[in-house]
Amino acid sequence: MDTVTFLSFAVSGLLVGTLVGATGVGGGSLMTPILVLLFGVNPATAVGTDLLFAGVTKSFGTLLHGLNRSVSWKVLGRLSLGSLPAAGITLWALRRFEDAQATAALMTHALGIALLITSTALLFQPWLQKLTKRGSSPDEAAPSAEDAELVARLEAEAEDRPGVAMRTVLLGAVLGALVTFTSVGAGALGVVVLVALYPKVRSVRIVGTDIAHAVPLTLLAGAGHASLGGVDYGMLGALICGSIPGVVLGSQLAFRVSERVLKGGLGAILFAVGSKLVF
């Protein structure tokens, strides 16, 4: 890989990392179409490389959320119970499907559909959160910081509502298949559905759990794609070199720019890219 190509990938990693740091989403949903449309990377290679890229990048976010105790390990376990077997089944199906050209075409179309779904979730996320949390408003009505034990107990009760465990496992299965095939869906889409399933759990805990769940899923799916020869390690290294300072920059940017504006702009971009890939 020459210097210009390396710098081009690093700048792409920087831009995507900045968005991830500022909004918590945008990794898989933006990096894969950039690699496919801007750099002409084969869709299978783009998906596999992006999955490992997301796994490494979101490991830093998981560490921070874990230290802040904003991860529900119980919900994470339910999601993983559905997503990891689904990822394994999807990888098995990809291994059995030997027509590389047909696989690339199918991945491109599926990626476009996943981007359209994700962009819709991003654009309507504030409205959906208000709708699902109407009457409960856990963030505004939560007890004071001194009463953390009560907060934990109320959230534990919310996470143990009848029937919610199985629905969470099913959500994990859908995300596992979608993310393994397209690298898209673990961020915005996962958060929106988790908010609907757990309306009385604080948003920071929802986001932390979603980020933590993405790590084992993307690493497993990425390793599976690597075994199929679908990872460019030089490109992966360049993307990570750009993404790490990008995440730091985005975290600072989050305090200066409206998150709603950033997510709205990202949603519009993803909708346009998804439309191009589908139509």
Side-chain angles (χ1 to χ4, degrees), residues 14 17-23 245-255 262:
L14 176 67
T18 301
L19 277 173
V20 171
T23 67
V247 170
V248 176
L249 176 63
S251 300
Q252 299 301 314
L253 185 65
F255 295 102
L262 287 172

Side-chain angles (χ1 to χ4, degrees), residues 10 32 69 71 73 119 123 129 136-138 141 163 173 191 208-209 235 255 267:
T32 298
R69 297 183 179 180
V71 175
W73 302 107
S119 64
L123 292 170
Q129 286 180 331
S136 57
S137 191
V191 167
T209 303
M235 181 168 62
F255 295 102

Side-chain angles (χ1 to χ4, degrees), residues 182-254:
T182 69
S183 81
V184 175
L189 190 59
V191 167
V192 167
V193 181
L194 283 175
V195 167
L197 290 174
Y198 301 94
K200 294 187 177 182
V201 174
R202 291 168 298 156
S203 296
V204 65
R205 190 170 172 88
I206 292 289
V207 172
T209 303
D210 184 68
I211 290 175
H213 168 246
V215 175
L217 172 57
T218 54
L219 290 179
L220 172 64
H225 278 272
S227 70
L228 297 172
V231 174
D232 186 322
Y233 292 101
M235 181 168 62
L236 174 63
L239 294 174
I240 292 175
C241 285
S243 70
I244 293 176
V247 170
V248 176
L249 176 63
S251 300
Q252 299 301 314
L253 185 65

Side-chain angles (χ1 to χ4, degrees), residues 78-88 169 172-173 175-177 180 213 217 220:
R78 294 168 182 170
L79 288 169
S80 300
L81 187 62
S83 66
L84 299 185
V169 173
L175 291 177
T180 303
H213 168 246
L217 172 57
L220 172 64

Side-chain angles (χ1 to χ4, degrees), residues 53-150:
F53 165 77
V56 173
T57 302
K58 292 192 174 183
S59 294
F60 292 96
T62 299
L63 177 61
L64 293 175
H65 278 282
L67 293 174
N68 291 326
R69 297 183 179 180
S70 53
V71 175
S72 171
W73 302 107
K74 180 184 296 184
V75 175
L76 172 61
R78 294 168 182 170
L79 288 169
S80 300
L81 187 62
S83 66
L84 299 185
I89 293 171
T90 305
L91 288 168
W92 174 82
L94 286 173
R95 189 181 295 274
R96 299 284 294 179
F97 200 62
E98 297 179 353
D99 190 333
Q101 187 173 357
T103 300
L106 183 59
M107 276 187 164
T108 301
H109 195 73
L111 174 61
I113 294 174
L115 288 176
L116 291 176
I117 295 172
T118 302
S119 64
T120 302
L122 267 178
L123 292 170
F124 291 97
Q125 185 177 11
W127 178 79
L128 290 171
Q129 286 180 331
K130 288 181 181 179
L131 180 67
T132 55
K133 292 192 175 185
R134 185 174 295 168
S136 57
S137 191
D139 290 316
E140 291 76 15
S144 62
E146 292 77 13
D147 212 348
E149 186 176 337
L150 178 57

